[in-house]
Amino acid sequence: MSTLLISFLLLVLLTSVSSIEFIYNTNFNSTNTLLHGNATIESSILTLTNSFTFSVGRAFYPFKIPTKPPNSSTPLPFSTSFVFSIAPFKDLLPGHGFVFILSPSAGTTGVSSAQHLGLFNLTNNGDPNNHVFGIEFDVFDNQEFNDINDNHVGVDVNSLISFTSHAAGFWGGGSGDKFVDLKLNDGENYQVWIDYLDSRVNVTMALAGQKRPQRPLISEFVDLSEVLLDEMYVGFCGATGQLVESHKILAWSFSNSNFSIGDVLVTRYLPSFVLSKESALRSKGFIVGTTAGVFFFVGSAVVIFVFFLRRKRSKRKEGEVHFEDWELEYWPHRVGYEDIYAATKGFSDQNVIGCGGNGKVYKGILQGVQVAVKRIPCDCEHRMREFLSEISSLGRLKHRNVVPLRGWCKKEKGSLILVYDYMENGSFDKRIFDGDENTIFGWGKRVKVLKDVAHGILYLHEGWQVKVLHRDIKASNVLLDKDMNARLGDFGLARMHDHEQIAAHTSQVVGTVGFMAPELIHTGRASTQTDVFSFGVLVLEVVCGRRPNEENKPALVSWLRRLVERGEECSALDERIKGRGQYNNNEVERVLHLGLLCTHHDPHVRPSMRQVVKVLEGESLDRSLLDRINSAAGYAGSFSSTIYPTIDEIFSSQCFLTTLCGNESI
Ligand SMILES: *[C@@H]1O[C@H](CO)[C@@H](O)[C@H](O)[C@H]1NC(C)=O
Ligand SMILES: *[C@@H]1O[C@H](CO)[C@@H](O)[C@H](O)[C@H]1NC(C)=O
Ligand SMILES: *[C@@H]1O[C@H](CO)[C@@H](O)[C@H](O)[C@H]1NC(C)=O
Ligand SMILES: *[C@@H]1O[C@H](CO)[C@@H](O)[C@H](O)[C@H]1NC(C)=O
Ligand SMILES: *[C@@H]1O[C@H](CO)[C@@H](O)[C@H](O)[C@H]1NC(C)=O
Ligand SMILES: *[C@@H]1O[C@H](CO)[C@@H](O)[C@H](O)[C@H]1NC(C)=O
């Protein structure tokens, strides 16, 4: 016990000196990852090797990390966890494997493909000057390296002849002490935990999404004090030979101090790279057939297989869903059609909870969780593909103001099914337009919703590496969760719309009339500024309690502009807000002005979502927006034929700016 305590204290002491921690949750990109050889990033997933023979890829955390404390030979402890998938290609025999490594150099010099796994080459294998420590996931049985089988995990110290190794799998099946085999390259996602503490390395693995097995697969004492240098690159390498497969890392965390760092990894609803049953069976039959008739050379060092494969297009059974390669790349996870069918009681009418422009929405229970299932008729594959590529770039779309997308599924005959978390409190438009006394929102709650929505849009625009446009922001696309947080739904879906509801000049334009920016109607080109415009209309709706286009009434935006020009904007406030009191005139004015500015006819004058959030949160505005407003006013002044000169002058007036900026002087 006391040694444990001492080593813990030592750990605390050591790690306070130099400690590294990082987390990747399907957000690998070329700036946060160092790529060498054939390593690439596809849909934010790290892919070490490609489909060509003899490919080598290496990928690292971009900086060397300290592996020993200053002036000490005792290596720092570490804990790392990752989710990997080794995906076979259809009709091709799979090989060879990948390695988690600590290495003094990052590049691909001195490394070979095939059985050398991108780790060493023929001459430097076993050299103590390599200073390389690795955990290999090897799917080829190399006699030269004393491999135990063609599906094993091994600890490699400067050599591909493993220090120790074990068949892949975990302890803990059955009554808790049975060993369960796992097949490394069946395309499943597996989570691995590697802990190094007090010269002992523990390696544990399980199917991703399952609990960490208690007993490690490998637990071995390895003295790394002579192996590790003071600073090392940490990452992965992998290789293929004549046999090819794709080595993918989906998520990865590392820490010198937190041995629970594996818990932060998102391990569920990841994309699946498992081949369909049919083609897996076919390749098995193929292996049996060919091995019988082919000469097998297990010679000096290299094993060469040459296969000529005739690619047959797989015959599809009636009604069976067929997935294109690009679909396999996208996540969140595809959900089985059968599961969705069962969850919604066969898309029964009793389960319908909504019927929007995009199609029907059903309520259902999937894996014990309440979900909303949206079925969108769409027979246009390229639009579906664009949509999926856009939403998949958001990774797992986790933001408290965005409706979580749990997964998706494509039916053969042109319909896309999306599975969302169920939002207990329904859509926001019911709380401003149609609700009764009890459900209609007062001022405070409305402003809270606007803030939530603004944060949600900002996340779509700037929160991930690829910008996502919502394209259809309106009150009915804002949903309220069980804690009454507002969340944006239906992002990006506008591009899947039928075009009927759009009165537009070109068939390209998508969105909802009344919420579309003028330049969107003219050019059909959506942008972050057209989203800002729609948000502005939403703001005005919320303040006035009026839909943008009500019959026999002037359009909301121009009506408000006229009120402002006449200095009568106070009369715009929704009567139902007035009835409740509890609002502050200055704040009403600020929010209203913000809405007007967002709906400015010139997209360059509209604020960015970041600036919108600032105004709503009462922070001071930055100079650039003020300059843009002022220059728009100057422009309007010199060309009196501009449509809204008066409102621009109002926009640039001291009084208008002061309301936007709170008490801040400009
Ligand atoms: C990467 O793959 C290409 C084929 O796409 C191959 O020509 C090249 O040599 C590979 N590079 C490395 C370092 O493996
Ligand atoms: C490490 O050793 C060097 C030379 O022996 C010395 O100059 C330096 O101060 C030491 N650093 C620490 C952190 O003890
Ligand atoms: C193996 O790598 C070492 C170190 O980079 C290099 O000196 C050597 O020439 C390489 N050997 C082969 C056979 O590629
Ligand atoms: C490694 O595994 C052994 C055996 O299960 C266990 O006693 C030890 O605490 C583990 N070490 C770490 C750092 O988890
Ligand atoms: C360690 O990481 C886990 C998972 O992220 C986290 O819940 C826990 O708070 C962390 N512990 C410390 C001491 O930072
Ligand atoms: C890469 O991802 C990181 C987060 O891990 C992010 O901060 C960075 O902006 C991204 N870079 C690019 C070019 O997308």
Side-chain angles (χ1 to χ4, degrees):
M1 268 300 119
S2 64
T3 52
L4 212 99
L5 191 73
I6 289 168
S7 62
F8 178 74
L9 286 176
L10 202 69
L11 192 155
V12 171
L13 204 87
L14 293 181
T15 51
S16 62
V17 179
S18 44
S19 169
I20 289 283
E21 189 163 304
F22 56 80
I23 296 156
Y24 297 80
N25 264 317
T26 317
N27 64 338
F28 292 95
N29 67 35
S30 51
T31 47
N32 65 21
T33 316
L34 213 55
L35 299 171
H36 289 280
N38 288 140
T40 55
I41 288 160
E42 294 164 8
S43 298
S44 304
I45 292 169
L46 180 57
T47 306
L48 296 170
T49 56
N50 59 27
S51 61
F52 290 91
T53 53
F54 300 102
S55 119
V56 173
R58 301 182 122 206
F60 297 91
Y61 179 68
F63 314 101
K64 279 192 172 179
I65 61 161
T67 35
K68 284 178 186 169
N71 294 354
S72 162
S73 66
T74 315
L76 286 167
F78 67 81
S79 174
T80 188
S81 180
F82 53 88
V83 177
F84 77 86
S85 166
I86 305 183
F89 292 105
K90 218 187 263 177
D91 295 337
L92 296 176
L93 287 181
H96 277 255
F98 78 96
V99 193
F100 165 80
I101 51 171
L102 287 164
S103 160
S105 61
T108 52
T109 44
V111 305
S112 300
S113 57
Q115 74 273 30
H116 293 107
L117 301 180
L119 191 57
F120 303 119
N121 65 27
L122 202 56
T123 50
N124 66 9
N125 186 38
D127 187 342
N129 293 321
N130 286 334
H131 294 288
V132 169
F133 170 71
I135 305 294
E136 65 168 40
F137 297 81
D138 191 347
V139 299
F140 198 84
D141 187 353
N142 287 108
Q143 314 261 318
E144 56 178 319
F145 302 141
N146 306 335
D147 282 352
I148 51 169
N149 65 11
D150 64 355
N151 186 54
H152 61 272
V153 180
V155 177
D156 296 350
V157 178
N158 291 327
S159 172
L160 280 156
I161 300 174
S162 298
F163 183 84
T164 180
S165 62
H166 200 287
F170 65 94
W171 294 98
S175 57
D177 212 23
K178 216 174 120 244
F179 185 73
V180 180
D181 286 301
L182 294 175
K183 185 154 173 52
L184 293 175
N185 64 353
D186 58 3
E188 293 283 1
N189 299 324
Y190 294 106
Q191 184 171 11
V192 174
W193 296 263
I194 301 169
D195 294 329
Y196 183 75
L197 178 64
D198 292 339
S199 300
R200 172 142 67 173
V201 63
N202 287 358
V203 183
T204 314
M205 73 177 288
L207 255 180
Q210 302 210 325
K211 254 181 58 193
R212 175 181 181 153
Q214 294 233 308
R215 179 174 160 192
L217 175 67
I218 293 174
S219 180
E220 196 71 41
F221 284 95
V222 191
D223 184 2
L224 294 180
S225 55
E226 297 299 316
V227 180
L228 301 184
L229 304 179
D230 291 351
E231 288 185 327
M232 311 274 283
Y233 283 106
V234 61
F236 304 89
C237 64
T240 64
Q242 197 60 249
L243 313 179
V244 294
E245 62 195 8
S246 179
H247 302 94
K248 294 172 192 294
I249 307 293
L250 293 86
W252 178 28
S253 63
F254 181 99
S255 174
N256 287 117
S257 54
N258 187 343
F259 279 68
S260 309
I261 196 69
D263 296 352
V264 302
L265 295 189
V266 176
T267 56
R268 303 186 60 208
Y269 301 115
L270 292 169
S272 168
F273 301 97
V274 180
L275 282 184
S276 69
K277 270 209 188 76
E278 197 193 327
S279 63
L281 275 180
R282 230 156 7 103
S283 71
K284 212 183 225 168
F286 175 81
I287 295 173
V288 173
T290 37
T291 41
V294 165
F295 291 99
F296 215 96
F297 296 97
V298 184
S300 53
V302 187
V303 184
I304 300 172
F305 292 170
V306 181
F307 293 111
F308 291 99
L309 300 176
R310 198 160 56 97
R311 267 185 173 256
K312 278 184 290 181
R313 186 128 182 88
S314 67
K315 261 189 273 163
R316 278 179 244 159
K317 279 192 228 118
E318 199 63 37
E320 191 184 318
V321 183
H322 172 75
F323 294 105
E324 304 291 339
D325 288 345
W326 60 264
E327 290 173 71
L328 294 175
E329 281 180 21
Y330 296 138
W331 84 298
H333 191 28
R334 287 189 338 261
V335 183
Y337 180 72
E338 294 72 23
D339 296 342
I340 297 176
Y341 192 83
T344 56
K345 303 208 177 88
F347 295 102
S348 117
D349 283 344
Q350 281 151 10
N351 284 42
V352 174
I353 48 172
C355 200
N358 289 316
K360 282 187 182 166
V361 185
Y362 301 82
K363 190 172 161 175
I365 294 187
L366 190 65
Q367 288 154 352
V369 183
Q370 277 203 327
V371 292
V373 175
K374 185 160 226 164
R375 185 149 72 158
I376 305 152
C378 168
D379 49 13
C380 179
E381 180 138 307
H382 89 263
R383 262 189 288 152
M384 203 185 283
R385 179 174 180 165
E386 277 172 8
F387 169 72
L388 286 172
S389 96
E390 186 169 273
I391 58 167
S392 73
S393 64
L394 277 167
R396 67 208 148 91
L397 259 177
K398 253 192 136 165
H399 189 275
R400 58 190 297 267
N401 302 122
V402 168
V403 179
L405 179 58
R406 292 194 154 255
W408 60 275
C409 162
K410 193 190 85 172
K411 261 309 258 175
E412 185 75 270
K413 283 260 165 339
S415 84
L416 177 68
I417 296 165
L418 297 173
V419 183
Y420 294 97
D421 278 9
Y422 179 70
M423 294 290 113
E424 279 81 354
N425 282 305
S427 73
F428 176 50
D429 57 343
K430 307 220 166 55
R431 309 290 178 146
I432 47 175
F433 301 126
D434 326 306
D436 59 29
E437 260 315 283
N438 301 319
T439 57
I440 212 97
F441 275 3
W443 177 251
K445 283 183 175 173
R446 292 191 194 200
V447 171
K448 158 90 166 46
V449 168
L450 289 179
K451 285 182 186 170
D452 285 351
V453 173
H455 280 285
I457 305 171
L458 176 62
Y459 174 72
L460 293 181
H461 286 183
E462 296 182 17
W464 214 262
Q465 72 206 73
V466 176
K467 182 171 65 189
V468 171
L469 301 179
H470 189 289
R471 292 185 166 84
D472 199 10
I473 297 161
K474 54 184 174 183
S476 58
N477 279 342
V478 173
L479 297 158
L480 300 164
D481 69 14
K482 64 176 192 308
D483 304 318
M484 282 292 176
N485 293 312
R487 290 172 179 264
L488 266 174
D490 273 6
F491 32 84
L493 260 189
R495 59 161 88 228
M496 311 278 291
H497 268 271
D498 284 339
H499 299 308
E500 288 144 18
Q501 50 169 300
I502 301 138
H505 304 235
T506 77
S507 62
Q508 300 291 312
V509 182
V510 286
T512 302
V513 174
F515 290 85
M516 287 192 288
E519 77 274 14
L520 176 62
I521 295 170
H522 289 130
T523 65
R525 215 167 294 131
S527 64
T528 50
Q529 285 111 324
T530 58
D531 271 359
V532 169
F533 185 97
S534 313
F535 177 75
V537 180
L538 173 70
V539 169
L540 301 180
E541 278 189 304
V542 167
V543 176
C544 307
R546 250 196 69 179
R547 294 181 196 274
N549 288 315
E550 288 183 5
E551 249 180 273
N552 305 324
K553 284 191 186 170
L556 179 62
V557 176
S558 41
W559 171 68
L560 263 172
R561 281 205 175 110
R562 244 163 282 135
L563 284 183
V564 172
E565 282 163 14
R566 279 186 254 129
E568 292 168 5
E569 64 245 56
C570 288
S571 64
L573 188 62
D574 188 355
E575 292 297 330
R576 287 166 294 191
I577 296 178
K578 282 187 189 156
R580 295 194 170 196
Q582 295 177 333
Y583 65 91
N584 165 324
N585 267 326
N586 288 343
E587 194 179 23
V588 171
E589 207 171 53
R590 179 153 54 98
V591 173
L592 193 65
H593 285 180
L594 177 68
L596 282 170
L597 198 57
C598 289
T599 52
H600 198 283
H601 61 96
D602 180 351
H604 305 293
V605 180
R606 291 174 211 150
S608 68
M609 277 324 288
R610 190 167 287 284
Q611 288 164 331
V612 167
V613 166
K614 274 190 178 174
V615 172
L616 286 172
E617 297 293 353
E619 290 171 34
S620 62
L621 266 185
D622 53 83
R623 198 67 239 173
S624 69
L625 177 61
L626 303 179
D627 288 346
R628 270 184 282 151
I629 297 171
N630 281 322
S631 68
Y635 177 82
S638 52
F639 299 92
S640 52
S641 61
T642 310
I643 315 168
Y644 309 111
T646 340
I647 197 82
D648 274 324
E649 277 160 21
I650 291 170
F651 279 155
S652 70
S653 71
Q654 194 67 25
C655 144
F656 183 88
L657 296 176
T658 312
T659 57
L660 281 184
C661 303
N663 296 325
E664 207 74 21
S665 62
I666 306 154

